[in-house]
Amino acid sequence: MVDGILVPTPQLARDCFPHGRVQLLADYLNTNEYLVVPSQKRADSVWLGLNASGQAFSSLKGSGVLEGIEQALNQSGRLNLLFAGADPSAARWLSRLPAERVEVLPVLSAEGLPAALSKVDIGLLPAVGEFDLRQSPLPAVEYMAMKIPWIASNQPPFQGLAEYGHLVGNSPAEWAEAIGWLAENIEAARQRAAGAPYLYALSQDAAENIEKIERAICGFEEAG
């Protein structure tokens, strides 16, 4: 019933190819929504950001990030966690962490995301399983638009952005090690995030890529 299918990742393109005309088009963002939000960083502490809105808790558990966070918090009193999501299973896990070092937010809307990210010092992007392997790399770009260092699973959605962040294997030890290292070197990490990663995020602004979007749509019209 459709003239074409636009997808943000090669894996989704392969999935959809048998069902119609497919074009690969990145998920772009309105960078202005991220640039105008004032920072809410808290002195003498480092806040990890884990946005589980729309992501199954079983996926988080399978990635090793949850145990990695626990280990990192036990190793450093400076570390804290900002967690967004509403899965009941997450509440049980969060109860094991020091309450004074955790802030829990509900499922984030697109409009509320920039304000939440403004509190984060290190973004965490776990991915495991068939659903996660098809997700867009946009969450990493959103961190970069706010000059936030990030750590992601070494999985296809984020491998194309390896030069801008830190990729880890899905094991608690690797997550904990990467979190600890970035926390200890947070100022240098922020400076790095304000360089090439930030410039890349600006290049992913929707207004800057309007011609690519128009070409993708026109391609379907011409083929039809």
Side-chain angles (χ1 to χ4, degrees):
M1 295 178 66
V2 300
D3 295 308
I5 306 169
L6 291 173
V7 294
T9 68
Q11 182 59 57
L12 281 175
R14 289 189 287 269
D15 292 343
C16 296
F17 182 75
H19 307 292
R21 289 190 295 271
V22 179
Q23 290 208 45
L24 191 63
L25 184 69
D27 280 331
Y28 298 114
L29 70 162
N30 180 356
T31 55
N32 287 335
E33 295 178 357
Y34 298 84
L35 304 182
V36 300
V37 178
S39 172
Q40 299 185 64
K41 301 290 190 298
R42 287 158 272 199
D44 301 322
S45 63
V46 175
W47 283 79
L48 308 173
L50 183 58
N51 183 8
S53 303
Q55 190 170 20
F57 185 75
S58 59
S59 174
L60 296 178
K61 189 174 181 179
S63 73
V65 70
L66 301 180
E67 290 182 60
I69 290 171
E70 288 186 63
Q71 292 178 21
L73 263 63
N74 288 334
Q75 293 165 4
S76 173
R78 294 181 63 210
L79 284 172
N80 306 270
L81 175 66
L82 179 71
F83 182 93
D87 192 312
S89 299
R92 290 192 291 271
W93 173 70
L94 290 166
S95 69
R96 303 210 304 259
L97 305 179
E100 69 279 5
R101 296 167 62 188
V102 176
E103 180 177 348
V104 180
L105 301 176
V107 173
L108 294 174
S109 64
E111 295 76 16
L113 181 60
L117 295 187
S118 70
K119 301 179 179 182
V120 173
D121 296 287
I122 300 172
L124 305 179
L125 298 164
V128 66
E130 293 301 314
F131 178 82
D132 284 355
L133 297 187
R134 288 162 172 77
Q135 70 172 289
S136 166
L138 184 64
V141 181
E142 290 169 329
Y143 279 123
M144 290 190 278
M146 299 191 71
K147 305 177 183 177
I148 299 171
W150 54 271
I151 306 167
S153 296
N154 187 10
Q155 297 292 327
F158 305 111
Q159 287 169 345
L161 301 176
E163 64 184 291
Y164 303 120
H166 300 262
L167 300 186
V168 298
N170 279 331
S171 73
E174 290 196 46
W175 280 105
E177 181 179 0
I179 292 170
W181 187 88
L182 270 185
E184 287 296 317
N185 298 276
I186 191 62
E187 292 304 326
R190 285 172 178 155
Q191 291 178 17
R192 179 175 180 270
Y198 176 64
L199 295 178
Y200 176 82
L202 295 182
S203 77
Q204 299 303 293
D205 182 76
E208 294 294 322
N209 292 276
I210 192 66
E211 291 184 4
K212 293 181 181 178
I213 299 171
E214 291 175 344
R215 282 200 301 269
I217 296 172
C218 289
F220 291 134
E221 294 174 345
E222 293 169 0

